[in-house]
């Protein structure tokens, strides 16, 4: 990318891991809050509830690792199916399974 970013912000939990890695590899500051001109990252775009907060910050560039819907205003490295549960390298497999069950229960989905 030929953009100059003011820094990189990652949404906790999964986006923070990406933000730290990008901060190191791109030699840009890791930000505690989004700011104009920053790179905003997250691990998964599912409902937009988290990532939509970036819409209010001017001149941000927004990326997710996996998007479960076709990207419109954000960028995605990978597209996945809406019902696919993703486990990232930095996650504990057993805890990720517990998170998946809690998520499905909270939304009234079959286990």
């Amino acid at each position: 990318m030929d953009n100059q970013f003011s820094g990189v912000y990652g949404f906790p939990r999964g986006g923070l891991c990406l933000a730290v890695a990008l901060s190191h590899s791109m030699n840009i500051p890791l930000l505690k809050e989004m700011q104009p001109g920053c790179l905003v990252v997250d691990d998964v775009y599912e409902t937009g509830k988290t990532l939509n907060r970036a819409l209010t910050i001017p001149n941000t560039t927004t990326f997710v690792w996996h998007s479960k819907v076709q990207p419109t205003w954000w960028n995605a490295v990978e597209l996945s199916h809406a019902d696919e549960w993703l486990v990232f390298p930095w996650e504990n497999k057993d805890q990720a399974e517990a998170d998946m069950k809690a998520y499905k229960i909270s939304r009234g989905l079959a286990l």
Side-chain angles (χ1 to χ4, degrees):
M1 293 185 170
D2 57 359
N3 292 351
Q4 286 294 112
F5 298 110
S6 59
V8 59
Y9 173 81
F11 289 101
R13 298 186 316 185
L16 186 55
C17 298
L18 294 172
V20 169
L22 289 168
S23 171
H24 289 217
S25 68
M26 297 173 72
N27 196 27
I28 59 175
L30 177 65
L31 304 173
K32 293 182 182 187
E33 296 178 350
M34 289 182 281
Q35 64 183 37
C38 74
L39 174 61
V40 177
V41 297
D42 204 0
D43 55 350
V44 179
Y45 183 98
E46 187 168 8
T47 64
K49 188 175 180 180
T50 301
L51 206 61
N52 285 348
R53 290 186 271 167
L55 287 170
T56 62
I57 310 297
N59 302 315
T60 59
T61 300
T62 308
F63 270 90
V64 296
W65 188 343
H66 284 270
S67 185
K68 293 190 175 190
V69 296
Q70 186 66 40
T72 55
W73 60 269
W74 66 96
N75 301 285
V77 177
E78 300 281 342
L79 276 175
S80 59
H81 295 282
D83 59 352
E84 182 179 357
W85 189 262
L86 304 166
V87 179
F88 291 93
W90 54 82
E91 293 182 293
N92 173 289
K93 185 179 178 206
D94 293 333
Q95 184 59 51
E97 187 173 325
D99 289 346
M100 176 188 65
K101 288 178 182 176
Y103 171 84
K104 287 185 173 186
I105 289 169
S106 75
R107 288 176 171 68
L109 303 172
L111 294 177

